């Protein structure tokens, strides 16, 4: 792009993440019936304390999507949610729960939506994404950006979906990366920044070349000042 140019392109490669096997989901219910809330939230009754006469309950930590793409939900049993977006899963759970609860408000979220960034970055790690939407540039930002040795033209994205592992290489120096189906990351994607071994080796050799000179200089100065004090 020219420095004075403004580019506007329709976003066509953004897709909603879909629920997959081994995803962990948070499914919460709110209604006017406290008993139903406890029941469908898999709550555990706790004794009332002195400050509050009402019973308290602890919400379930999450629902694991099994190998068949199902979760085990209270009262209803097995519910198929794999390959649905969060919005679709929310609509489905709301429809099913309406058979038991009047006017329920259902909220479905990913608990384990994370991406992993490794290789030539400053802070390699796995990052949990609360917004459930992240692109490659944002993920690199979380990892503190690439180091000076990272190959920006050859970033690897590894994705597992429906039992298939896909690997794709991305060139961040080309604006076409913005239209890549891998520009927006999905849950459990791995981003690997390959090192430029030639540049790294060159810098290492340069440092190694000057270390003896540096050491010799320090030694000579130490001897000189040592003799000067005598």
């Amino acid at each position: 792009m020219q420095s004075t140019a403004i580019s506007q392109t329709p976003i066509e490669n953004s897709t909603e993440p879909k629920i997959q096997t081994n995803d962990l989901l948070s499914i919460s219910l709110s209604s006017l019936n406290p008993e139903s809330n406890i029941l469908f939230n898999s709550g555990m009754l706790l004794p009332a304390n002195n400050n509050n006469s009402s019973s308290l309950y602890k919400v379930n930590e999450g629902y694991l999507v099994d190998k068949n793409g199902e979760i085990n939900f209270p009262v209803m049993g097995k519910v198929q949610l794999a390959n649905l977006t969060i919005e679709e899963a929310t609509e489905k759970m709301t429809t099913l729960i309406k058979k038991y609860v009047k006017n329920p408000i259902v909220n479905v979220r990913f608990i384990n939506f994370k991406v992993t960034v490794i290789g030539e970055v400053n802070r390699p790690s796995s990052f949990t994404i609360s917004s459930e939407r992240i692109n490659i540039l944002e993920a690199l930002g979380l990892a503190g950006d690439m180091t000076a040795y990272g190959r920006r033209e050859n970033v690897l994205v590894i994705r597992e979906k429906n039992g298939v592992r896909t690997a794709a290489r991305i060139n961040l120096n080309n604006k076409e990366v913005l239209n890549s189906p891998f520009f927006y990351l999905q849950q459990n994607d791995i981003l690997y920044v390959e090192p430029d071994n030639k540049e790294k080796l060159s810098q290492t050799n340069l440092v190694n070349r000057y270390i003896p000179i540096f050491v010799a200089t320090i030694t000579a100065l130490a001897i000189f000042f040592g003799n000067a004090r005598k």
Side-chain angles (χ1 to χ4, degrees), residues 211-224:
I211 285 178
I213 299 176
F214 178 76
V215 172
T217 302
I218 294 297
T219 302
L221 290 173
I223 294 174
F224 173 79

Side-chain angles (χ1 to χ4, degrees), residues 1-216:
M1 291 179 57
Q2 298 179 0
S3 59
T4 58
I6 297 177
S7 175
Q8 291 183 332
T9 305
I11 299 176
E12 299 177 350
N13 59 335
S14 178
T15 57
E16 292 292 327
K18 293 188 175 182
I19 297 171
Q20 303 176 28
T21 299
N22 295 325
D23 278 343
L24 192 61
L25 304 176
S26 166
I27 304 178
S28 60
L29 165 71
S30 296
S31 72
L32 296 177
N33 189 323
E35 290 77 13
S36 296
N37 294 342
I38 295 175
L39 178 62
F40 284 95
N41 285 325
S42 285
M44 181 173 61
L45 288 174
L46 300 176
N49 55 36
N50 295 330
N51 298 326
N52 190 349
S53 59
S54 62
S55 296
L56 305 176
Y57 66 92
K58 180 181 179 182
V59 177
N60 183 28
E61 294 182 353
Y63 297 92
L64 181 66
V65 182
D66 64 21
K67 63 180 181 181
N68 298 317
E70 299 174 326
I71 63 168
N72 192 14
F73 199 72
V75 180
M76 298 185 297
K78 296 289 186 178
V79 179
Q80 181 76 28
L81 292 182
N83 296 319
L84 299 180
T85 65
I86 289 298
E87 183 178 353
E88 291 169 342
T90 301
E91 292 178 357
K92 181 173 183 177
M93 295 302 299
T94 301
T95 300
L96 293 174
I97 293 174
K98 277 183 178 179
K99 298 177 182 178
Y100 307 92
V101 181
K102 184 178 181 181
N103 298 326
I105 299 176
V106 180
N107 184 29
V108 181
R109 297 289 303 271
F110 286 108
I111 293 179
N112 64 337
F113 192 106
K114 64 179 177 63
V115 296
T116 300
V117 186
I118 56 176
E120 285 296 329
V121 292
N122 289 300
R123 293 192 300 271
S125 184
S126 293
F127 303 95
T128 300
I129 312 302
S130 59
S131 64
E132 301 165 3
R133 176 185 171 92
I134 187 172
N135 60 47
I136 287 179
L137 302 180
E138 291 170 327
L140 289 173
L142 291 175
D145 202 0
M146 297 184 186
T147 68
Y149 305 110
R151 295 187 60 186
R152 286 158 175 78
E153 75 283 0
N154 200 22
V155 178
L156 180 66
V157 179
I158 302 174
R159 175 173 298 168
E160 294 185 4
K161 188 175 181 180
N162 297 326
V164 178
R165 182 181 293 111
T166 304
R169 295 192 179 274
I170 301 295
N171 182 1
L172 295 183
N173 293 331
N174 190 328
K175 71 174 184 178
E176 290 303 316
V177 68
L178 301 175
N179 300 319
S180 168
F182 292 90
F183 180 71
Y184 288 96
L185 301 178
Q186 299 184 12
Q187 65 267 42
N188 304 317
D189 277 0
I190 298 174
L191 199 62
Y192 172 65
V193 179
E194 185 176 337
D196 188 338
N197 290 323
K198 291 183 179 179
E199 179 67 20
K200 202 167 187 178
L201 182 61
S202 174
Q203 292 293 330
T204 302
N205 290 339
L206 186 63
V207 172
N208 291 337
R209 185 184 308 169
Y210 285 102
I211 285 178
I213 299 176
F214 178 76
V215 172

